[in-house]
Each structure stands twice: as structure tokens, then as C-alpha cells.
Amino acid sequence: MSTAQLPETAVTGLGVVAPNGLGAEEYWTATLKGASGIGRISRYDPSGYPSPLAGEVLDFAAEEHLSSRMLPQTDRMTRMALAASDWALADADADPGQLPEFGMGVVTASSSGGFEFAQNELQKLWSKGPEYVSAYQSFAWFYAVNTGQISIRHGMRGPSGVLVTDQAGGLDALAHARRHVRGGTPLVVSGGMDASLSPWGLVSLNTSGRLTRCADPERAYAPFDAGADGHVPGEGGAILVLEDAAAARERGARSYGTIAGYGATFDPAPETGREPGLRRAVELALADAGVGAAEIDAVFADAAGTRDLDRAEAEALTAVFGPYGVPVTAPKTMTGRLYSGAGSLDVAAALLSMRDAMVPPTLHVPEPADDCPLDLVRDTARALSVRTALVLARGHGGFNAALVLRAPDADA
């Protein structure tokens, strides 16, 4: 079957947990206003770390969303993923209890697994002994635990999986979910969620060398700026409901838009001197969607926040669209980089941009770098009709992913 004959995959539900808002609408309202969720870490004293900043989810109370039985066996990221899956299914008006259990799948992404849970249990092991370690440690830390817990919670026994490609994972998971929908699975819950801001997690994140050393939340994470020195870590993400577009229309479901194209590449080794793979990922996604560069209305950038990676992304975008050729935004400057949760959250933002004809802003870029000739949407949201959008993500180690989204009436 050719690409043109494959069924369209619609996004019918959004569930968001972000540092600047719980739920899709609260997150979107804050994002359009330029309200940031980045601040000094509050759960412990961060003064001994290179930077004390993070995008924390402060208002999430797990006991309001999960039973007391679930709390002892779940990490923070899983609790947020379960709540987001509930919200996404409710938003899609999809009742798993009324659907065939083998007709529903789950595909999620995770960058680090249940770091906070693992740290707590290792502290018990070291300080008290093995008999004090929870039996739930056997799975609560695992990268696939969100997929497993969501599938158990909603009785979803269809094709499922997990992607581990760092920041690119949120897009890779959605693309894999699209494959399942195209293969005949009517509904797939998909996206990414991470929460690695515990002390052990923050130490691990610092080993990348990409975290900012700036302690000013108004200046710390400044992608494409001449003074960019790294990113702020964050927690959260988004869980989406994907369905066959025709089947969704038949049941009267609202579609936010469709996943029209996807491309993934891997960077060559640095010593080869070869071009990074991001541009090729963009070209693959455009070809998969059957659209030209001129048809892209907005780009949601990866926005690594380091001078070399920002320059590489700008070069890829300039090669495809030309200098200042398309509006570019990075709403993650209000949340920090959420690792596996970042790509799926950007997809949610892009779909909401299509709905409301508004592109959210990029914050904290007072001096755009000369070597990043981008039409950056800075400081305030921009009114713009978005029919087709491109979302980019890069994972540490060389992963590149690109996703093309179409507005629902654009497909019609």
C-alpha cells in the first residue's frame, strides 16, 4: 500500500502535565501569555549544583488522581503519565471500557525511567539493608513502566511499546503509534513523560555538559541567543490519543489534526566531519507528508540552548526554508527541556496553535545570534493561521526526529 493510500492518523485527545500548567487548556493559556514555569528547585536545596533552576510541576497532587494502592508502586513520572492518559481519553470522549481490549494500544517514550523512585529505594538499601527495599523497585524504575501502567489502568492489550531516544522520544513514540493505527489498531495512547529532577537525577543530567550555569530564571535558557550557554531541565510532558481519522469522524470525535509525516535520522560520529542528520530528518518528514517547504506555516524547534547545537539547527532550517523563511518558536523556554516529554508537548502546542491561529512565543532571547537567521517568534504570541506545522526534536547521542502535522480541515 502506498503512503497516499494509508489511513490518516488523527489526534483526538490531549493530556498535558507541564511546569506552567496542568491540563491542555491551562498549559495553553499560560504558554500564550508567556507565563514561565522555570524557577529555583523547591523540593531540596539545589545550591550545591551548577545551576539551581528547573521546570518543576508544582501543583500536581498525585493522590487526587490515583488510588492509595497505586501511590507506593509508582514513580513521579508514572503518576503524571497516568493522570495525563485519563485526561487525554476524556478529551477524546473515548471510553476504554466500551472498546475492544485488543483494539487499543499504548506507545510511550522515556528518557530516564523512574529515577526518583530508584533513588529512594537505593537510599534504603544503603542505609537500612535490602529487606527495606520495596518490591515495586523491580518495575517502577523501568523505561517501559508508563506503557505498562497505562495499559493495565485502561485494559489496553493491543500492540504496545516504548521508545528510548532521549528528547527525540516524544516524537518517535507518536510515529510508532501512527504505524499501529495504520496497521489496523483503532486507538493508541501515546506520548512521553519524564521526571528526573531528584538529586540523583540532576547529577546524571549534569553529566551531559548541556545544562546552563545561569541562576537567573529570566535569562537561563536562551536558545538561538548570542549568549546561550545551555538548557534548563524540566519534568512533565503530554499523552495523546491517536485514532484512525475516518473512524474518529464516524464516531463524531473532534480531531485536533493529523500526523501527516515523520522522519528520523542519526548523526554521524563527530570526527567524520559529516553534516548532522537533522536536515535529512526534516526532508524525510516533508516527503512522507507529501508537502513542500513552502507549505509549512510554523516550526516548533528543538532549541537545545547551546551555541553549537543552536547553530546546527539553524543551518538545517535555513537549508530547507531559507534565511528567515518560516516562523520558528520554542515554547519549551517556559518549561525547560522535558526530555522524552518535550516532543509530545510541542506536538500538543502545535495542534493548539492550529486550533486558535496563534503561535506561542520564545522567551529570553534578547540578542538573537547572527549565525541563527531565523524568524523567531519572540516574547509575545503571534497571530497566524497554521494549517501545517513541523515539530523537531534531538536526543543526546545523535537522535533526530521531525513530525509534520496538518490541521483537520487541511486534510479534508
Side-chain angles (χ1 to χ4, degrees), residues 103-127:
M104 300 178 289
V106 184
V107 180
T108 67
S110 176
S111 174
S112 58
F115 242 84
E116 188 168 311
F117 193 103
Q119 175 180 333
N120 291 338
E121 298 310 311
L122 286 173
Q123 286 177 320
K124 293 177 186 177
L125 175 66
W126 297 331
S127 62

Side-chain angles (χ1 to χ4, degrees), residues 180-191:
H180 287 318
V181 171
R182 286 179 160 183
T185 303
L187 182 149
V188 182
V189 172
S190 185

